[in-house]
C-alpha cells in the first residue's frame, strides 16, 4: 500500500474518532470541547468538500454550535448550512434523515423565537424517530421539547418530556446521559418508571404510562388537552375548550371555573358561559352560597392548596357550610390556578353519584393540566388586551388621518391632494377655459385704520367665511386670499361647462351677502366694507410649486385680466369681460359699459351684471 493511501486511511479514521468525540461531548454538555472536536473532524474529513459530506458530522456540528454561547447570527448561519444539506438528503431517504432534519428545523425556529413552530418540529422528529427506531433522535427530541417547555414556564409538561427523554436514553444505552439528566433534575428520580413502550402513538408522542405518585396517567389525553388549550387565544373560545377539557378529564357531574383577575376581565363582565353543567364565574362577588360551598372556596383562595373531599357530608372541615348542608354533595375537588405567584382562578368540581370519585389519577391529571390552563389564560388575556389596544390605536390613527386629510383638503383641491398623497407630487395642468373671480374691499386701508387689529381680523374672517360657503355651494375652487382680496376659479381642478354661470351666480350672492352685512353694521353704528367683483374667462395653468407650505395656485393672463375687471368695477357691482359675457349672455341681464382702458391691457369691453 502506498504511503499516501495509508495516510489518507488514517486521516479518515481519525476524522471519525473526532466525530464521535464531538457527539459524546454534545450529549454530556461539554459544548466548548465539542466545538473543538467538530472543527478537527471537519478538517480531517474535508467537511463540505467531499461528495456527499458525512451526515453525522453535519448534524452534531450544527447541534453543538446551537448549544453554545456563540453569536446568534453565527449559530443561525451554521444551522442554515446544515439544513441546506438535509434538504437534499431527506427526500432521498426520509427514514435516515427526517428525524434529524426536523430537530435542526426546530433549533432554527427556537433561535428565531418561534415557540410553536419549534415545538411542532421537535414533535415531528420524535414521531419519525419512533417509526424508524432512531433512539438517539427520539431521546434528543423529547429533551429539546422539555427544555422549551421549561423556558416557557410549563414545568409540569417539561418534567413529563424529561422523563420520556430519560426513558429513550435508557433504551439507547446512554447511561452517562441518563445520570447527567438525573443530576440536573433530581426531582425526576423520585418517581422512576418502567422503560416499556407502546406502539399506539397517535400524536407523534409515545403513549406509555408514566408514574406520578401512585397514579397512572393517560398521557395521550393530557397532550390532547394541552394542545387544544394552547391553540386558543380568543377568550370565549378558550373557555369553551377549557370547559370541555374539564368535563372530559375530571369525571365531574358539575362544576365552576372561577376567574379572579377582575381588572383584566372587565370587558367580560356581562359574558356568561355554560358547557355541560360547567359554569364560568368572574370575581368573588359572583359566588352564590346556594350554588357552591363558599367556605371551601375561601379556604382554597387563602391557602392556595388543592382540596379533595371524598364525602362532603362526613368531612368535618366543610360539613357546616350552607351549600353542603342543603345539597349534600359527595365528592368534591377544588384546585387553585396560580399565575406568576398570584392566584388567577379556582376550579371547583363536584360528583354527587359516588364518594371518592376524584381518584389520585384524576387529581394528578388536573394538576398537570393546571400549568397549561394558566399559560392559556395569560396568553388569552394578553391577546385580548393587545387586540383591544390595536383597535384603540387603529381608531386613533384613523381619527388622526381624517384630521390630516381634512387639513390637506382645506389647502388643496381633493383631486390634487390625492395625487400628492399617492405620488408625492402633483403636476401643473393647463385648463383651456375657466372663469376667474376677484373681489376686493373698497377703501379697505382707510376703514382698517379705524379698527383694532383684532377687530379687523374678525371682520375679514366673517366675510371670507361667507365667501367660502358660497364658493362651495356653486362648486368653485377658492385659490387664496391676498390681504382683503379673494381669488376663486370655476372649472378646476375638474373642468365643467357651467363654470362661467356658477361664478356669476356666486358673485351675485357675494354682493347680496356684503349688502346684508353693510345694513347690519350701519344699524350698529359700526364701520363696514363695500366690495367690487371682477370676472374674466380664459385659459390658465394651475398647480403646486415648491416643496414647503404647499399652495395650489393659478397663473396666466386670464388671472391678470380678472384683476383688471375688479379694479375697473364700481362698489357693489359685478364687472365682467367680453369673454365671460359671451358665455353667460343668454342667462343674465347685462349692461354694456363700452370699451374701458385697463392698466397694461389697453381698451377692453366690460359689462355690469344686473
Amino acid at each position: 500500500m502506498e504511503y499516501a493511501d495509508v495516510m489518507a486511511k488514517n486521516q479518515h479514521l481519525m476524522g471519525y474518532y473526532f466525530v464521535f468525540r464531538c457527539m459524546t461531548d454534545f450529549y454530556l454538555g461539554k459544548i466548548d470541547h465539542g466545538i473543538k472536536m467538530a472543527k478537527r473532524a471537519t478538517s480531517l474529513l474535508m467537511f463540505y468538500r467531499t461528495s456527499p459530506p458525512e451526515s453525522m458530522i453535519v448534524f452534531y456540528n450544527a447541534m453543538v454550535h446551537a448549544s453554545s454561547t456563540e453569536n446568534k447570527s453565527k449559530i443561525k448561519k451554521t444551522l442554515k448550512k446544515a439544513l441546506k444539506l438535509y434538504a437534499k438528503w431527506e427526500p432521498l431517504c426520509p427514514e435516515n434523515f427526517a428525524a434529524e432534519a426536523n430537530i435542526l428545523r426546530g433549533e432554527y425556529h427556537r433561535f428565531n423565537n418561534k415557540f410553536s413552530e419549534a415545538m411542532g418540529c421537535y414533535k415531528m422528529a420524535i414521531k419519525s424517530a419512533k417509526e424508524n427506531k432512531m433512539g438517539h433522535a427520539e431521546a434528543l427530541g423529547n429533551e429539546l421539547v422539555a427544555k422549551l417547555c421549561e423556558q416557557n414556564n410549563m414545568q409540569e409538561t417539561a418534567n413529563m418530556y424529561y422523563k420520556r427523554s430519560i426513558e429513550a436514553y435508557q433504551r439507547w444505552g446512554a447511561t452517562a446521559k441518563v445520570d447527567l439528566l438525573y443530576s440536573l433534575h433530581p426531582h425526576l428520580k423520585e418517581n422512576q418508571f418502567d422503560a416499556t413502550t407502546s406502539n399506539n402513538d397517535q400524536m407523534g408522542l409515545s403513549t406509555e404510562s408514566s408514574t406520578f405518585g401512585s397514579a397512572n396517567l393517560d398521557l395521550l389525553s393530557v397532550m390532547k388537552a394541552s394542545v387544544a388549550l394552547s391553540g386558543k387565544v380568543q377568550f370565549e373560545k378558550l373557555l369553551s375548550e377549557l370547559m370541555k377539557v374539564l368535563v372530559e378529564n375530571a369525571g365531574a357531574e358539575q362544576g365552576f371555573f372561577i376567574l379572579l383577575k377582575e381588572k383584566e376581565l372587565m370587558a367580560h363582565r356581562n359574558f356568561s358561559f355554560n358547557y355541560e353543567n360547567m359554569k364560568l364565574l368572574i370575581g368573588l362577588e359572583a359566588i352564590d352560597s346556594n350554588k357552591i360551598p363558599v367556605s371551601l372556596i375561601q379556604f382554597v383562595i387563602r391557602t392556595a392548596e388543592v382540596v379533595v373531599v371524598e364525602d362532603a357530608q362526613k368531612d368535618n372541615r366543610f360539613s357546616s357550610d350552607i351549600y353542603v348542608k342543603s345539597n349534600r354533595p359527595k365528592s368534591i375537588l377544588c384546585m387553585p390556578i396560580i399565575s406568576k405567584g398570584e392566584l388567577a382562578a379556582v376550579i371547583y368540581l363536584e360528583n354527587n353519584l359516588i364518594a371518592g370519585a376524584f381518584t389520585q389519577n384524576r387529581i394528578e391529571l388536573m394538576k398537570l393540566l393546571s400549568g397549561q390552563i394558566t399559560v392559556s389564560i395569560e396568553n388569552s388575556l394578553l391577546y385580548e388586551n393587545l387586540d383591544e389596544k390595536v383597535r384603540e390605536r387603529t381608531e386613533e390613527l384613523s381619527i388622526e388621518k381624517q384630521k390630516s386629510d381634512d387639513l390637506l383638503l382645506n389647502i388643496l383641491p381633493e383631486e390634487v391632494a390625492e395625487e400628492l398623497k399617492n405620488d408625492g407630487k402633483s403636476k401643473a395642468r393647463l385648463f383651456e377655459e375657466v372663469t376667474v373671480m376677484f373681489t376686493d374691499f373698497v377703501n379697505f386701508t382707510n376703514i382698517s385704520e379705524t379698527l383694532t387689529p383684532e377687530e379687523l381680523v374678525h371682520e375679514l374672517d366673517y366675510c371670507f367665511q361667507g365667501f367660502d360657503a358660497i364658493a362651495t355651494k356653486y362648486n368653485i375652487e377658492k385659490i387664496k386670499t391676498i390681504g382683503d382680496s379673494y381669488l376663486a376659479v370655476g372649472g378646476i381642478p375638474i373642468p365643467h361647462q357651467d363654470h362661467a354661470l356658477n361664478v356669476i351666480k356666486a358673485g351675485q350672492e357675494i354682493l347680496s351677502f356684503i349688502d346684508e352685512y353693510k345694513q347690519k353694521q350701519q344699524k350698529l353704528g359700526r364701520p363696514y366694507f363695500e366690495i367690487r367683483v371682477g370676472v374674466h374667462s380664459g385659459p390658465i395653468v394651475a398647480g403646486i410649486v415648491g416643496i414647503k407650505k404647499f399652495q395650489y395656485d393659478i397663473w396666466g393672463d386670464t388671472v391678470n385680466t380678472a384683476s383688471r375687471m375688479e379694479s375697473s368695477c364700481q362698489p357693489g357691482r359685478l364687472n365682467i369681460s367680453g369673454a365671460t359675457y359671451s358665455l353667460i349672455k343668454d342667462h343674465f341681464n347685462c349692461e354694456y359699459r363700452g370699451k374701458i382702458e385697463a392698466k397694461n391691457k389697453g381698451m377692453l369691453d366690460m359689462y355690469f351684471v344686473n
Side-chain angles (χ1 to χ4, degrees), residues 110 192 246 314 319 326 333 343 391 439 441 462 509 517 539 553 557-558 567 575:
R110 178 173 67 86
Q192 294 188 39
L246 293 177
K314 297 178 182 180
S319 58
S326 59
L333 170 61
L343 188 65
R391 283 196 297 269
T439 75
F441 292 120
Y462 174 79
E509 197 162 322
Y517 160 78
D553 211 343
D557 188 63
T558 299
S567 60
N575 188 39

Side-chain angles (χ1 to χ4, degrees), residues 1-128:
M1 183 179 291
E2 295 292 333
Y3 175 78
D5 294 333
V6 173
M7 291 301 295
K9 184 176 180 180
N10 289 339
Q11 183 176 349
H12 193 71
L13 290 173
M14 286 301 296
Y16 267 102
Y17 167 76
F18 288 118
V19 170
F20 284 110
R21 286 291 304 274
C22 171
M23 180 183 74
T24 304
D25 288 338
F26 167 69
Y27 284 112
L28 296 181
K30 300 176 182 179
I31 304 303
D32 291 340
H33 190 262
I35 290 175
K36 293 178 181 178
M37 295 297 99
K39 187 175 182 180
R40 296 185 70 175
T42 55
S43 174
L44 289 168
L45 295 174
M46 300 180 68
F47 184 47
Y48 293 144
R49 292 191 293 275
T50 60
S51 180
E54 302 291 346
S55 64
M56 182 181 289
I57 188 56
V58 172
F59 180 72
Y60 286 108
N61 176 68
M63 292 303 298
V64 78
H65 279 86
S67 303
S68 71
T69 56
E70 291 180 333
N71 182 276
K72 283 191 174 183
S73 61
K74 184 177 180 181
I75 294 173
K76 289 180 184 179
K77 185 177 180 180
T78 302
L79 287 169
K80 286 177 72 175
K81 198 170 185 179
L83 282 169
K84 188 175 181 180
L85 289 168
Y86 270 86
K88 298 178 181 178
W89 301 335
E90 185 180 5
L92 299 176
C93 188
E95 294 83 359
N96 285 350
F97 299 111
E100 291 181 348
N102 278 307
I103 287 174
L104 292 172
R105 291 187 190 105
E107 288 291 89
Y108 187 76
H109 286 311
R110 178 173 67 86
F111 269 92
N112 285 289
N113 298 316
K114 295 181 178 180
F115 171 81
S116 59
E117 288 86 346
M119 185 72 77
C121 288
Y122 293 147
K123 289 180 179 179
M124 288 173 64
I126 295 169
K127 184 176 185 297
S128 177

Side-chain angles (χ1 to χ4, degrees), residues 467-593:
F467 294 1
D468 288 344
I470 294 169
T472 301
K473 176 181 176 181
Y474 290 103
N475 194 26
I476 297 171
E477 190 68 38
K478 173 188 176 181
I479 301 301
K480 58 184 173 182
T481 59
I482 310 166
D484 61 318
S485 298
Y486 187 92
L487 173 60
V489 186
I492 63 169
I494 300 177
H496 55 87
Q497 294 180 346
D498 297 332
H499 57 86
L501 296 176
N502 289 345
V503 170
I504 298 303
K505 291 176 183 177
Q508 289 180 320
E509 197 162 322
I510 285 173
L511 291 175
S512 298
F513 174 84
I514 291 299
D515 187 55
E516 291 177 7
Y517 160 78
K518 173 182 174 181
Q519 293 177 30
K520 179 181 175 182
Q521 293 293 88
Q522 284 176 331
K523 288 179 181 179
L524 296 173
R526 295 177 57 80
Y528 55 86
F529 296 127
E530 290 187 290
I531 196 169
R532 296 188 298 262
V533 180
V535 175
H536 175 60
S537 301
I540 64 164
V541 174
I544 299 173
V545 293
I547 58 173
K548 291 185 178 181
K549 296 183 179 180
F550 290 127
Q551 179 176 324
Y552 188 67
D553 211 343
I554 58 175
W555 301 273
D557 188 63
T558 299
V559 181
N560 298 330
T561 303
S563 176
R564 299 296 179 265
M565 292 300 109
E566 175 274 313
S567 60
S568 301
C569 188
Q570 296 176 4
R573 300 302 300 267
L574 172 57
N575 188 39
I576 67 175
S577 67
T580 302
Y581 172 76
S582 65
L583 297 174
I584 58 95
K585 62 183 179 180
D586 295 333
H587 301 276
F588 295 94
N589 183 22
C590 300
E591 176 188 338
Y592 181 55
R593 301 180 62 194

Side-chain angles (χ1 to χ4, degrees), residues 149-150 152-160 162 185 187:
C149 291
E150 197 169 45
N152 287 273
N153 300 315
M154 299 166 61
Q155 190 58 53
E156 292 194 28
T157 307
N159 291 343
M160 180 183 69
Y162 273 128
H185 309 281
H187 60 284

Side-chain angles (χ1 to χ4, degrees), residues 196-231:
T196 58
T197 62
S198 169
N199 292 325
N200 300 320
D201 188 355
Q202 299 175 17
M203 293 179 61
L205 302 170
S206 68
T207 57
E208 62 269 22
S209 60
S210 299
T211 303
F212 288 77
S214 61
N216 231 7
L217 298 185
D218 182 356
L219 293 182
L220 182 59
S221 296
V222 173
M223 291 313 301
K224 283 182 177 178
S226 180
V227 170
L229 289 174
S230 64

Side-chain angles (χ1 to χ4, degrees), residues 274-334:
N274 298 334
Y275 180 90
E276 295 186 8
N277 295 323
M278 283 296 304
K279 299 177 180 64
L280 167 71
L281 298 178
I282 297 179
L284 291 174
E285 68 274 13
I287 299 175
D288 186 347
S289 60
N290 294 316
K291 296 181 179 179
I292 193 169
V294 175
S295 60
L296 190 152
I297 300 298
Q298 289 175 336
F299 177 82
V300 172
I301 291 174
R302 185 172 67 254
T303 63
E305 295 179 0
V306 177
V307 172
V308 181
V309 179
E310 302 245 345
D311 191 337
Q313 300 169 47
K314 297 178 182 180
D315 195 310
N316 294 329
R317 294 175 296 172
F318 311 108
S319 58
S320 61
D321 186 273
I322 296 173
Y323 176 81
V324 174
K325 282 183 177 180
S326 59
N327 292 276
R328 305 174 67 82
K330 291 190 176 180
S331 302
I332 295 175
L333 170 61
C334 193

